[in-house]
Amino acid sequence: MSTVISVSGLHKSYGANHAVAGIDLAIEQGEIFALLGPNGAGKTTTVEILEGFRDRDSGEVRVLDIDPATKGRTGQAWRDRIGIVLQSTNDAGDLTVYESVSHFATYYENPKDPREVIDLVGLTDKADALGRTLSGGQRRRLDVALGIIGNPELIFLDEPTTGFDPEARRAFWQLIRKLRDEGATILLTTHYLDEAEALADRVAVINRGTIIEVSTPALLGGRATSLATVSWRDGTELRSEKSANPTQLVTQLSTQFGGEVPELNVKRASLEDIYLEMIGISHE
Amino acid sequence: MSKPTALSIGIQRGGLEIKQFMRQRESVVFTMLFPLILLAIFGSVFSNSIAKGVTFSQYFVAGMIASGLVNTGFQQLAIMIPVERDFGTLKRLRGTPMPASSYFIGKAILVTVSMLIQVFLLLAAGVAFFGVNPPTSAHKWLLLVALLILGSACSTILGIAFSNVPKSGRGASAVVSPVVIVLQFFSGVFFIFTDLPHWMQQVAAIFPLKWMTQGARSIFLPDSFATREVAGNWETGRTFAIIGAWLVVGLIWAMRSFKWERD
């Protein structure tokens, strides 16, 4: 295992706005790492610094052992090894999927086969369709195809499934896992917590320019040991209780009701509950 | 696979740019046919001679060819690039190993091809329908080639530089087109230059279109007409020097201001 992205003490201000206020981060090879945070938290700025689109004020940043701010030939060689899928783009409407993908292949030293990539993202039937005739989800898959055509070691995915229907999202998640299984490291930013939960090996929650916590989706924010909510019907009343020992409570209830507990429900905090709590707390 | 060069990628981009251009029917019509429509209108309305052996159509075709350099280079790019900036095309390209120069080579190829089609159409229509005479000597043909190369290069660079002025892709046409149309009026494309008010002539002389137009007249009009120019001769040397100076200005301006994404 080697570290693909390492960041320490990263700062970036826009005027009085301290958008990134001291971020440390280490992302290992072969993991899917999700960056979560509300709009304006410094997520986009951080990712754009990592992608080499934005300058930083201070801090150490290494991406594939290169400083992303590197220009010239070294910078170009570095770009050969990364793939970037930006937020909604809407270009090349007058080119077919195959024309776009095969053209982007010429930018790279060791590109994947354009036909294979088009198959991989599920656009086989649309290979000869013009970009402007694609649906939102198909368009997004073309964006991914263009991002991975260069056979990248590291892939940046920015809000990849915005506007997808549930079925398309699942297919897309399969694709991302497949890319990881082929050895790529993936940095994902998303607003969908179920997406982070389904895909990410680790997540980082970022707010107000700093990272609050880095953990696995299952352990984030003490989720595994958080109180469970037990709810049931007591006559006409719907009751609920938070408990550290839900099994014990359910046993008690079962005795009390003599077997079945009416409308019994035991619920652990979802990633979304934990996340909202973290964001809320850090606002105070 | 061997490492692709900036030039080879640029040439491929040029092919792609032309393909996209041809698939946008509105822009083909606007860029290519509109000047022909103007030629038809002006050629029909002003059918008189303005000097011995010089019809207004002949004068107008020279101006329209110079305008063609501005339309296919400056106007086309200064409208197209802001749209690409808005759509994320430029940012996406910036994220790939594509050398920046390849993008500009692609644009230059697009401009060159559309410029050649434009000039050919104007000349062909002029000769076929409005009695326009093509250049009369090898020397003038050579001068035409030189004017097209330098003028088109200047126009391309200025279009790239000016692409940073419109705030958005949607507003680009509204910002760029008036600049071009006003310059056309001031530079003697639609009217005889020497008939224009003195101040207008002086303003026009700052900008390259006036010199492209005058250069085109020196190619398409008989040398006897040179005495009717402002300076009493064609000023060929000055013409090329000023267009060349604008090319340098455009180059510095473009290198300093070009942005790959919207702020």
Side-chain angles (χ1 to χ4, degrees):
Chain A
M1 278 272 183
S2 63
T3 305
V4 171
I5 295 179
S6 73
V7 177
S8 66
L10 181 63
H11 285 265
K12 173 74 183 179
S13 296
Y14 302 105
N17 173 22
H18 207 164
V20 178
I23 278 183
D24 303 303
L25 205 57
I27 298 174
E28 305 300 325
Q29 196 209 319
E31 71 176 335
I32 300 178
F33 191 97
L35 205 52
L36 307 176
N39 289 330
K43 212 172 29 169
T44 304
T45 303
T46 304
V47 172
E48 292 206 328
I49 290 170
L50 298 177
E51 291 168 339
F53 284 137
R54 217 163 279 283
D55 294 330
R56 58 186 186 267
D57 294 340
S58 64
E60 266 300 309
V61 180
R62 309 291 285 179
V63 175
L64 296 169
D65 282 327
I66 303 279
D67 183 337
T70 308
K71 307 259 186 272
R73 276 181 196 284
T74 318
Q76 220 167 295
W78 173 75
R79 292 219 170 272
D80 205 278
R81 300 167 61 201
I82 65 169
I84 299 174
V85 180
L86 297 166
Q87 265 181 54
S88 63
T89 49
N90 187 24
D91 61 327
D94 291 302
L95 294 176
T96 67
V97 168
Y98 180 75
E99 283 168 343
S100 287
V101 176
S102 60
H103 173 70
F104 268 66
T106 65
Y107 298 163
Y108 296 89
E109 231 169 305
N110 293 302
K112 290 176 190 269
D113 178 57
R115 290 277 172 206
E116 268 172 36
V117 168
I118 291 169
D119 290 347
L120 190 65
V121 300
L123 286 177
T124 315
D125 297 342
K126 290 283 172 184
D128 296 320
L130 292 181
R132 62 173 133 86
T133 66
L134 300 179
S135 72
Q138 290 165 345
R139 173 76 235 181
R140 210 69 192 104
R141 281 184 269 164
L142 172 58
D143 289 336
V144 174
L146 297 177
I148 64 174
I149 184 69
N151 208 3
E153 296 165 47
L154 168 64
I155 303 167
F156 292 94
L157 288 174
D158 200 358
E159 315 274 351
T161 60
T162 305
F164 277 36
D165 61 47
E167 199 187 331
R169 287 180 81 203
R170 296 206 179 252
F172 188 83
W173 292 348
Q174 272 319 111
L175 166 63
I176 301 306
R177 291 191 192 105
K178 199 165 170 183
L179 292 170
R180 189 262 315 270
D181 294 343
E182 287 173 8
T185 307
I186 291 154
L187 176 58
L188 168 78
T189 58
T190 182
H191 280 304
Y192 299 119
L193 290 137
D194 58 334
E195 181 158 286
E197 175 135 46
L199 275 181
D201 300 306
R202 289 194 302 151
V203 299
V205 176
I206 179 170
N207 196 21
R208 296 183 152 193
T210 56
I211 287 183
I212 305 173
E213 192 180 341
V214 181
S215 182
T216 64
L219 295 177
L220 190 79
R223 187 178 170 200
T225 55
S226 68
L227 297 183
T229 305
V230 179
S231 63
W232 69 96
R233 182 168 293 280
D234 192 356
T236 54
E237 193 189 355
L238 202 59
R239 293 187 54 187
S240 76
E241 200 170 303
K242 287 202 172 195
S243 169
N245 308 303
T247 313
Q248 203 182 338
L249 179 59
V250 170
T251 313
Q252 261 175 34
L253 287 169
S254 177
T255 315
Q256 188 185 320
F257 284 97
E260 274 309 304
V261 182
E263 298 181 30
L264 174 68
N265 190 357
V266 182
K267 190 170 165 271
R268 293 259 172 206
S270 69
L271 186 59
E272 185 155 333
D273 296 331
I274 295 288
Y275 167 78
L276 289 174
E277 202 178 315
M278 291 176 80
I279 299 303
I281 283 167
S282 62
H283 268 303
E284 282 162 12
Chain B
M1 212 181 229
S2 67
K3 187 147 180 63
T5 65
L7 183 65
S8 72
I9 295 176
I11 290 168
Q12 294 214 37
R13 281 207 61 81
L16 220 60
E17 296 268 12
I18 291 162
K19 211 181 260 181
Q20 293 182 84
F21 175 77
M22 293 303 178
R23 285 176 187 170
Q24 289 171 336
R25 222 161 286 152
E26 326 83 88
S27 76
V28 174
V29 170
F30 181 76
T31 318
M32 296 301 167
L33 291 186
F34 188 60
L36 293 182
I37 295 167
L38 283 183
L39 176 60
I41 294 170
F42 277 75
S44 310
V45 174
F46 305 102
S47 52
N48 53 324
S49 286
I50 55 174
K52 194 169 175 287
V54 180
T55 60
F56 184 81
S57 295
Q58 186 87 22
Y59 193 96
F60 188 62
V61 161
M64 285 309 286
I65 284 174
S67 285
L69 298 176
V70 173
N71 291 334
T72 54
F74 178 81
Q75 181 162 344
Q76 179 171 220
L77 295 186
I79 292 173
M80 174 193 270
I81 295 174
V83 172
E84 293 188 342
R85 200 175 278 128
D86 275 10
F87 277 2
T89 312
L90 295 187
K91 189 175 182 185
R92 193 211 294 279
L93 290 174
R94 204 74 216 99
T96 73
M98 180 205 77
S101 53
S102 302
Y103 175 77
F104 299 112
I105 291 169
K107 289 290 182 228
I109 291 172
L110 171 64
V111 170
T112 306
V113 169
S114 42
M115 182 271 289
L116 286 175
I117 295 173
Q118 173 89 91
V119 170
F120 173 79
L121 287 177
L122 280 168
L123 258 183
V127 170
F129 304 112
F130 300 99
V132 169
N133 300 314
T136 47
S137 67
H139 171 73
K140 295 217 165 185
W141 275 107
L142 218 61
L143 211 57
L144 176 64
V145 171
L147 182 72
L148 293 185
I149 292 172
L150 187 71
S152 199
C154 172
S155 175
T156 300
I157 297 282
L158 287 173
I160 292 168
F162 200 82
S163 75
N164 235 29
V165 175
K167 289 277 174 284
S168 75
R170 234 182 321 167
S173 172
V175 175
V176 176
S177 301
V179 172
V180 173
I181 292 168
V182 168
L183 273 181
Q184 284 175 327
F185 275 107
F186 278 37
S187 301
V189 172
F190 300 131
F191 305 111
I192 313 289
F193 186 70
T194 44
D195 291 351
L196 295 172
H198 185 63
W199 67 268
M200 221 181 250
Q201 294 182 14
Q202 286 193 311
V203 172
I206 302 169
F207 298 101
L209 180 55
K210 184 256 175 185
W211 299 97
M212 293 173 186
T213 312
Q214 191 169 315
R217 282 200 298 272
S218 77
I219 293 160
F220 287 95
L221 270 51
D223 283 331
S224 57
F225 194 84
T227 53
R228 303 215 8 201
E229 291 290 341
V230 177
N233 67 75
W234 292 125
E235 299 181 283
T236 305
R238 175 177 278 188
T239 296
F240 280 89
I242 290 177
I243 298 172
W246 270 101
L247 192 150
V248 174
V249 168
L251 205 57
I252 295 167
W253 181 10
M255 287 200 300
R256 285 177 171 231
S257 71
F258 194 82
K259 288 204 177 70
W260 294 87
E261 59 179 302
R262 267 182 81 186
D263 299 312

